[in-house]
Amino acid sequence: MNVVVVRYGEIGTKARQTRRWFENILMNNIREALVSEGVGFKKVEAKHGRVLVRTNEPEKAVETLKRVFGIVSLSPAMEVDASLDKINKIALRLFRRKKRELGIERPRFRVTARRITKEFPLKSPEIQAKVGEYILENEEGEVDLHDYDIEVGVELMEGKAYVFVDKVQGWGGLPIGTQGKVVALLSGGIDSPVAAFLMMKRGVEVIPVHIYNGEKTLEKVRKIWNQLKRYGYGGKAELIVVKPGERDRIVQKLREMKKEKYTCVLCKYMMVRHADRIAKEFGAKGVVMGDSLGQVASQTLENMYIVSQATDLPVYRPLIGMDKEEIVAIAKRIGTFELSILPEDEIDYIPKHPVIRGSWEEFRKIYRAVFGEEPKQRGC
Amino acid sequence: MNVVVVRYGEIGTKARQTRRWFENILMNNIREALVSEGVGFKKVEAKHGRVLVRTNEPEKAVETLKRVFGIVSLSPAMEVDASLDKINKIALRLFRRKKRELGIERPRFRVTARRITKEFPLKSPEIQAKVGEYILENEEGEVDLHDYDIEVGVELMEGKAYVFVDKVQGWGGLPIGTQGKVVALLSGGIDSPVAAFLMMKRGVEVIPVHIYNGEKTLEKVRKIWNQLKRYGYGGKAELIVVKPGERDRIVQKLREMKKEKYTCVLCKYMMVRHADRIAKEFGAKGVVMGDSLGQVASQTLENMYIVSQATDLPVYRPLIGMDKEEIVAIAKRIGTFELSILPEDEIDYIPKHPVIRGSWEEFRKIYRAVFGEEPKQRGC
C-alpha cells in the first residue's frame, strides 16, 4: 500500500468556498496527527471530495487518523495508473492477501468500482465485471454482491486508480478548528470528559478547565485530558487548573447559616464563574458541562437554572438527554472510563441532603451573605 | 399470560423516599398509557423494584408500555403460586409455545431464576437446575447457558412465581413528570422533534411551541406532535401555535437596512422570546432547541450566543454533539422522520447568505433600529 484514501462526510455538503476552508483545516489536522504519532508521510492532498495521504505505513496511518474528527471512513490503498491490466493485477494481489488474512478457502466477494472523474473508458459496472472475472480466473472464490467476505474497491480519478480491500470507519463529526472554542469543565467523573469529547467531535476546540480539589483528582484529570487529546488534533489547549481561593470560608459560612444544602449548587455556580472568566480571556464562546437531567437527585432544571445564571455565554450540555448507560458506553469506547473510575480526593464538604429544587431567591440571599454582593444574573 | 413484569432502571438507584415518588409517577403514566390505548387491565402495583401490570392482554400492553419512559424492560408473564410443580408446568408450557413460535426442532435454552424475596426454599441455581431438567424430560432441547434460542425466566416474590420467555426492551430514561417542564420549539424539520423526544425521555414534560409560518407547515407540526405524544404519557401539554405579528415589517426593515443576512438570527431570537414568555406562563424551567453545531453554516457558536440572549432560562440543546446521521436514525426509530420530510410552506424571506458569525453589537444596532429598544441580554 502506498496511500490512504480519506473520505469525509458533512464537509462535502457545504458551499464550495466553505468546503475548501474545511478541507484545509482537515488536512492540517491530519498532518498534525501523523506528526505527533510519528507516522511518516510524503504528502497530504485534497482531490474531488477525497483526501489522499501518501505514506509507506498506511495501516499505522489509519490507526491514527480514525481518531481525527470529520473523517467518515479510511482505506489503505494502492495507487496505480488507471489501466485495466494494472488494476487487475493489484486487485488480485490485495484479494489474495485479504483471503490469507481471513483464512477462508473460497471467499465470497464483490468488486465495487467508482469513477470520480470520468476519463477512464470503461463504466463502473464494466470495470467491476472485468476485475471480478480476472480474480475468478486466478483464485478460488465466488461473487456475491450482498453477502460477501471481501469487498475489492476501485476508485478512479485523474488517470489514477486506487485499489483497496479495507474500509475503516471514522467518528464523523467536523474537523476541530472549524467551529471556534468553548471552555469545558472537567471534574474527573465519567460524564464531563464525554461531554467535552462530543463537542470536540463537532469541530470545537475545547479548553479544559479543572477546579482544583486535591492532587489525586488533579492527577486523574491530567490523565483524562491526555486521553482526550488523542482526539484533539487541531486543538492547542492545555489543561487549566483553577485553585478556588476561599472555599473553606464559603463552606464554613454556609454551615453557620444552616444552608449546607446549597453547597453543591453554589460550588457549581462558582465553577461556571471561573469558566466564564477563562472563556472571555481565550475568546471562547460557550461553557460545556456534563449534566444529564435527573441523573442524581440534585441535577434538576431548577438547580441548572441557578448555575446557568453565572455566565451570559450559552452553557452546552451534550449529555442532557442521555441515560447513564449511554454515557458510560461512550466513555468506554473513547478510553476515558477506566481513568474516570480511578480514586479521587474525598470532598468532605458535600452535604448529606443537597437541595433538590433550589430557589433563585434563596440562592441570592445566600450569595449576598457569603460575598456581600449580588450574584451575576442573566437577563436582568 | 396474566401479568406484565415491568423493570425500571435509574429510579431503583434513588433514595427510598424519592423512589416511592418515582414509582407512583411511573405507575400513573403506565395507567394513562393503557387507558388511552384501550388496553384492559385490572391492577398496576409496585413490588420490590418491579411494577406488575395485571391484564388479560399482556402482549398488547407490552406494545404500548415500551413507549413509556423510565421502563428498561418488560416481560409478559404467568403469575402462579411459588411451588416447584406449578413453576415446572407453566415453564414447560411457555417453552413449548416459544419453540413453536421460533420453529426450531431442538432449541438451545437456559433457565434464569431470581428470588426477589427469599421465602422460597430452593436457591436460584437449584430452581434453574430443576426446571431445566423438567423441560428436558418432556421436550426436545439442550441446555446452553451462553448461546441459547430461548431463555425461560423465573422471578419469585412473596409466595408467587412469575414465569416468562420474552424480555422486551424499553427506552429507559425517567418517567415524564419527575423532572418538571420545558418549552420545546417545533419547526417541522427533522431535528427539533428529536430534541423534544430526548428531553421527554429524561422525564421532562415538554410544552411544544410552533411559530406559525403557514397552514401546510402547521399541519405537519400537528402530525409530528401527535406522534411525539405517543411517548408522552404523563404529560398533558397541547401544541401552542404563536402567530408572530409584524414579521413582514421586520423583514422589510432588514431589507432597507441591507441586513437581510441577520434575518434568520433575528427570527430565531424572536422565537426564543416567545418561548421564554410561554415558559414563564406555564412555569417551565428551560427552552429546548434542535441545534446541532455546524450542521448548517449558520449554526455557529456566535449565532447561538445571540439567540441564547433572548431568555434568562437555560437553552437545552440535546443534539448539540450529534451528527445528522445520528439524528436521522433516532427520528426514524421514533416515527417522526417521515412526517418531518413532508412538504412545508416556503419561507420566501430566507436570505441567500445568512450571517455565519453574527456579532452581538451589530445585532443590537439592528434590533434597536427595528424595535426602537434594547434587546434583552443576559448578565448585563
Side-chain angles (χ1 to χ4, degrees):
Chain A
M1 308 286 185
N2 52 16
V3 64
V4 176
V5 178
V6 177
R7 302 173 196 85
Y8 46 82
E10 292 184 49
I11 310 172
T13 71
K14 309 261 176 213
R16 200 151 153 296
Q17 182 192 4
T18 326
R19 177 181 168 156
R20 177 121 344 120
W21 172 70
F22 269 72
E23 285 172 340
N24 288 331
I25 294 173
L26 176 58
M27 287 193 288
N28 286 335
N29 295 356
I30 286 172
R31 292 185 190 101
E32 189 182 318
L34 295 172
V35 170
S36 36
E37 298 293 332
V39 182
F41 66 98
K42 292 187 201 58
K43 200 171 178 210
V44 177
E45 54 185 331
K47 273 195 176 163
H48 308 288
R50 298 272 184 281
V51 168
L52 299 177
V53 179
R54 306 190 178 282
T55 168
N56 298 329
E57 19 189 19
E59 281 74 13
K60 207 173 150 203
V62 167
E63 274 316 293
T64 297
L65 296 183
K66 70 183 184 189
R67 293 195 312 272
V68 173
F69 294 133
I71 295 176
V72 170
S73 74
L74 303 126
S75 293
M78 281 298 290
E79 181 190 73
V80 294
D81 296 329
S83 81
L84 189 56
D85 177 51
K86 289 214 168 82
I87 294 170
N88 280 338
K89 287 199 169 53
I90 196 70
L92 178 62
R93 209 172 85 206
L94 297 186
F95 178 87
R96 283 184 169 137
R97 187 193 297 181
K98 190 71 183 171
K99 184 175 162 179
R100 271 197 309 279
E101 181 190 319
L102 298 172
I104 304 175
E105 259 319 292
R106 198 162 185 290
R108 290 153 307 164
F109 74 102
R110 77 175 193 184
V111 180
T112 306
R114 209 168 145 218
R115 294 193 309 168
I116 292 161
T117 60
K118 307 295 185 193
E119 54 300 288
F120 194 71
L122 301 180
K123 291 214 167 54
S124 302
E126 303 170 292
I127 301 168
Q128 291 167 181
K130 298 274 187 207
V131 175
E133 284 164 27
Y134 185 80
I135 291 174
L136 286 171
E137 287 161 14
N138 295 277
E139 268 289 338
E140 277 298 303
E142 75 181 90
V143 173
D144 188 325
L145 297 185
H146 305 293
D147 182 14
Y148 47 86
D149 308 304
I150 299 175
E151 177 168 34
V152 179
V154 183
E155 295 186 354
L156 296 113
M157 51 179 151
E158 296 182 0
K160 298 285 182 186
Y162 300 85
V163 187
F164 52 89
V165 287
D166 290 304
K167 203 173 203 172
V168 176
Q169 293 306 304
W171 278 98
L174 300 170
I176 288 179
T178 59
Q179 300 297 323
K181 294 181 222 161
V182 295
V183 163
L185 285 163
L186 286 185
S187 68
I190 294 166
D191 299 349
S192 54
V194 175
F197 173 86
L198 289 174
M199 293 303 285
M200 291 161 75
K201 172 165 161 283
R202 291 301 302 171
V204 174
E205 179 171 1
V206 160
I207 300 166
V209 172
H210 173 63
I211 312 298
Y212 184 79
N213 190 59
E215 281 307 311
K216 212 189 292 173
T217 307
L218 176 57
E219 201 33 58
K220 178 178 164 174
V221 172
R222 290 200 187 286
K223 289 192 180 116
I224 290 170
W225 177 242
N226 286 334
Q227 177 63 17
L228 284 176
K229 271 161 96 179
R230 306 182 68 228
Y231 301 89
Y233 307 112
K236 305 262 162 296
E238 290 302 329
L239 183 66
I240 296 174
V241 180
V242 178
K243 297 214 178 195
E246 33 175 26
R247 184 178 274 159
D248 299 352
R249 184 185 77 75
I250 295 169
V251 172
Q252 187 46 42
K253 182 78 183 170
L254 288 173
R255 288 223 180 83
E256 289 163 15
M257 296 171 71
K258 302 253 176 305
K259 294 292 184 189
E260 299 95 324
K261 64 177 183 176
Y262 269 88
T263 308
C264 301
V265 175
L266 181 58
C267 179
K268 271 192 151 188
Y269 180 95
M270 299 308 294
M271 287 180 180
V272 175
R273 294 294 304 131
H274 288 298
D276 174 86
R277 196 190 74 244
I278 293 162
K280 277 148 190 177
E281 286 168 9
F282 285 81
K285 297 288 192 298
V287 176
V288 181
M289 298 181 78
D291 294 305
S292 164
L293 193 57
Q295 187 189 101
V296 297
S298 59
Q299 258 178 354
T300 58
L301 294 171
E302 288 81 0
N303 291 354
M304 284 190 247
Y305 172 86
I306 295 173
V307 171
S308 303
Q309 298 304 311
T311 177
D312 61 304
L313 297 171
V315 177
Y316 294 106
R317 299 174 167 100
L319 312 184
I320 194 69
M322 293 189 190
D323 287 6
K324 191 74 183 183
E325 308 81 75
E326 302 174 81
I327 298 166
V328 166
I330 301 174
K332 285 179 173 169
R333 220 178 130 200
I334 65 177
T336 55
F337 181 77
E338 52 271 32
L339 302 173
S340 291
I341 56 179
L342 292 171
E344 305 195 334
D345 303 278
E346 276 118 48
I347 308 179
D348 47 17
Y349 52 83
I350 288 182
K352 205 151 164 311
H353 300 293
V355 64
I356 302 298
R357 290 184 175 69
S359 117
W360 174 253
E361 276 319 311
E362 191 171 4
F363 179 81
R364 269 179 71 182
K365 289 201 196 72
I366 295 167
Y367 193 95
R368 280 199 301 263
V370 174
F371 297 102
E373 63 176 28
E374 282 289 322
K376 179 187 179 68
Q377 180 182 7
R378 296 169 122 166
C380 51
Chain B
M1 308 285 184
N2 53 15
V3 65
V4 176
V5 177
V6 177
R7 303 174 196 85
Y8 45 82
E10 292 185 45
I11 308 172
T13 70
K14 309 259 176 215
R16 201 152 154 296
Q17 182 193 3
T18 326
R19 177 180 167 158
R20 176 119 345 120
W21 172 71
F22 268 72
E23 285 173 341
N24 288 330
I25 294 174
L26 177 59
M27 287 192 289
N28 286 334
N29 296 356
I30 286 172
R31 292 186 190 101
E32 188 181 319
L34 294 172
V35 170
S36 36
E37 299 292 332
V39 183
F41 66 98
K42 292 187 202 57
K43 199 170 180 212
V44 176
E45 54 185 329
K47 273 195 176 163
H48 308 288
R50 298 269 184 284
V51 168
L52 299 178
V53 179
R54 305 187 180 285
T55 169
N56 298 328
E57 19 190 17
E59 281 73 13
K60 207 173 150 201
V62 166
E63 274 317 293
T64 296
L65 296 182
K66 69 184 186 190
R67 293 195 312 272
V68 173
F69 294 133
I71 295 175
V72 170
S73 75
L74 303 127
S75 293
M78 281 299 290
E79 180 191 73
V80 294
D81 295 329
S83 81
L84 191 56
D85 178 50
K86 290 216 167 82
I87 294 170
N88 280 337
K89 287 200 169 51
I90 197 69
L92 178 62
R93 207 171 88 206
L94 297 186
F95 178 86
R96 283 184 170 139
R97 186 192 299 181
K98 190 70 182 173
K99 185 175 162 178
R100 271 197 309 278
E101 181 191 320
L102 296 173
I104 303 174
E105 258 321 292
R106 198 164 187 288
R108 290 152 306 166
F109 75 101
R110 78 176 192 183
V111 180
T112 306
R114 205 164 151 221
R115 294 193 308 167
I116 291 158
T117 60
K118 307 295 185 193
E119 56 294 295
F120 194 72
L122 301 180
K123 291 214 168 52
S124 302
E126 304 170 290
I127 301 168
Q128 291 166 182
K130 298 275 188 205
V131 175
E133 284 164 27
Y134 184 81
I135 291 175
L136 286 171
E137 287 161 13
N138 295 278
E139 267 289 338
E140 277 297 302
E142 75 182 89
V143 173
D144 188 325
L145 297 185
H146 305 292
D147 183 14
Y148 47 86
D149 308 304
I150 299 175
E151 178 169 34
V152 178
V154 182
E155 295 186 356
L156 296 113
M157 50 178 152
E158 295 180 1
K160 298 285 181 185
Y162 300 85
V163 188
F164 51 88
V165 286
D166 289 304
K167 203 172 205 174
V168 177
Q169 292 306 305
W171 278 98
L174 299 170
I176 288 179
T178 59
Q179 301 298 323
K181 295 181 219 159
V182 295
V183 163
L185 285 163
L186 286 186
S187 68
I190 293 167
D191 299 349
S192 54
V194 175
F197 173 86
L198 289 174
M199 293 303 285
M200 291 161 75
K201 173 166 160 282
R202 290 303 300 172
V204 173
E205 179 172 0
V206 161
I207 300 165
V209 173
H210 173 63
I211 311 298
Y212 184 79
N213 191 58
E215 281 307 313
K216 211 189 294 173
T217 306
L218 176 57
E219 203 30 61
K220 177 176 164 173
V221 172
R222 290 201 187 285
K223 290 194 180 116
I224 289 170
W225 177 241
N226 286 333
Q227 177 63 17
L228 284 176
K229 270 161 96 179
R230 305 181 69 228
Y231 301 89
Y233 308 111
K236 304 264 160 296
E238 290 301 329
L239 183 66
I240 296 174
V241 181
V242 178
K243 296 213 177 194
E246 35 174 23
R247 185 178 274 160
D248 298 352
R249 185 184 77 75
I250 296 169
V251 172
Q252 188 45 43
K253 181 78 183 171
L254 288 173
R255 289 225 179 83
E256 289 163 16
M257 297 170 71
K258 302 251 175 306
K259 294 292 183 188
E260 299 95 322
K261 64 177 183 177
Y262 269 88
T263 308
C264 300
V265 174
L266 181 59
C267 180
K268 271 193 150 189
Y269 180 95
M270 299 308 294
M271 288 180 180
V272 175
R273 294 293 306 130
H274 288 298
D276 173 85
R277 196 192 71 245
I278 293 162
K280 276 147 192 178
E281 286 167 10
F282 285 81
K285 297 287 191 300
V287 176
V288 181
M289 298 181 77
D291 294 307
S292 163
L293 192 57
Q295 188 189 101
V296 297
S298 58
Q299 257 176 355
T300 58
L301 295 171
E302 288 81 359
N303 291 355
M304 283 190 250
Y305 172 87
I306 294 173
V307 171
S308 303
Q309 298 305 311
T311 177
D312 60 305
L313 297 171
V315 177
Y316 294 106
R317 299 176 168 99
L319 312 185
I320 194 69
M322 293 189 189
D323 288 7
K324 191 74 183 182
E325 308 81 75
E326 302 174 82
I327 298 166
V328 166
I330 301 173
K332 286 179 172 168
R333 221 178 129 199
I334 66 178
T336 56
F337 181 77
E338 53 271 32
L339 302 173
S340 290
I341 57 178
L342 293 170
E344 305 195 334
D345 304 279
E346 276 118 50
I347 307 179
D348 46 16
Y349 51 84
I350 288 182
K352 205 152 164 310
H353 299 294
V355 64
I356 302 297
R357 292 186 175 67
S359 116
W360 173 254
E361 276 319 310
E362 190 170 6
F363 179 81
R364 269 179 71 184
K365 289 202 195 73
I366 295 167
Y367 192 96
R368 279 199 302 263
V370 175
F371 297 102
E373 61 176 27
E374 280 291 321
K376 180 187 177 69
Q377 181 182 8
R378 296 170 121 165
C380 51

